[in-house]
Amino acid sequence: QVQLVESGGGLVQPGGSLRLSCAASGNIFRLNSMGWYRQVTGKQRELVADITSSGSVNYADSVKGRFTISRDNAKNEVYLQMNSLKPEDTAVYHCNLRPVFVKAPVSGYWGQGIQVTVSS
């Protein structure tokens, strides 16, 4: 059993910044990938950023240069620093964790989701 607890969401003005955190606990396979996905009503859930336990990262094109993902393997935590936020970044953000042998993110573990709203 794995639990993911997210924090750091909220309301921010365009151009502002937020930092999301996700803490994992439970029976965590050491070699894994942790990341952030977001979903807006009427749209497909999309990858925002993902990082493996060895430090390999992936970003959605829409957030490259603005968002930075990082992790602390000792704490089983992953972070997403979001800068230069735009209204189109508004979404529910979900933390995801999957062992390396799990290829589909949907088959991994998910946090409950936190709201990020970018608005004046």
Side-chain angles (χ1 to χ4, degrees):
Q1 184 179 7
V2 174
Q3 297 83 39
L4 301 175
V5 179
E6 301 143 322
S7 61
L11 175 65
V12 67
Q13 294 183 347
S17 298
L18 285 173
R19 183 177 176 86
L20 305 183
S21 298
C22 175
S25 62
N27 188 20
I28 303 169
F29 190 73
R30 184 173 62 86
L31 303 180
N32 62 67
S33 179
M34 298 183 71
W36 295 92
Y37 293 72
R38 66 188 182 189
Q39 187 160 22
V40 179
T41 301
K43 293 185 177 181
Q44 287 277 344
R45 182 188 300 170
E46 66 174 3
L47 170 71
V48 178
D50 190 90
I51 182 169
T52 69
S53 50
S54 62
S56 180
V57 300
N58 290 292
Y59 293 97
D61 287 342
S62 60
V63 307
K64 287 180 179 177
R66 299 189 297 122
F67 292 8
T68 302
I69 191 168
S70 61
R71 63 184 290 164
D72 186 330
N73 290 343
K75 296 180 179 180
N76 289 316
E77 295 181 349
V78 64
Y79 315 97
L80 185 68
Q81 179 66 46
M82 303 185 292
N83 298 326
S84 302
L85 282 161
K86 305 174 180 179
E88 50 263 45
D89 294 318
T90 296
V92 175
Y93 286 69
H94 293 266
C95 182
N96 172 266
L97 183 151
R98 57 183 173 90
V100 294
F101 53 82
V102 175
K103 302 303 181 182
V106 70
S107 297
Y109 300 95
W110 293 92
Q112 79 283 358
I114 50 175
Q115 180 70 44
V116 171
T117 302
V118 184
S119 176
S120 298

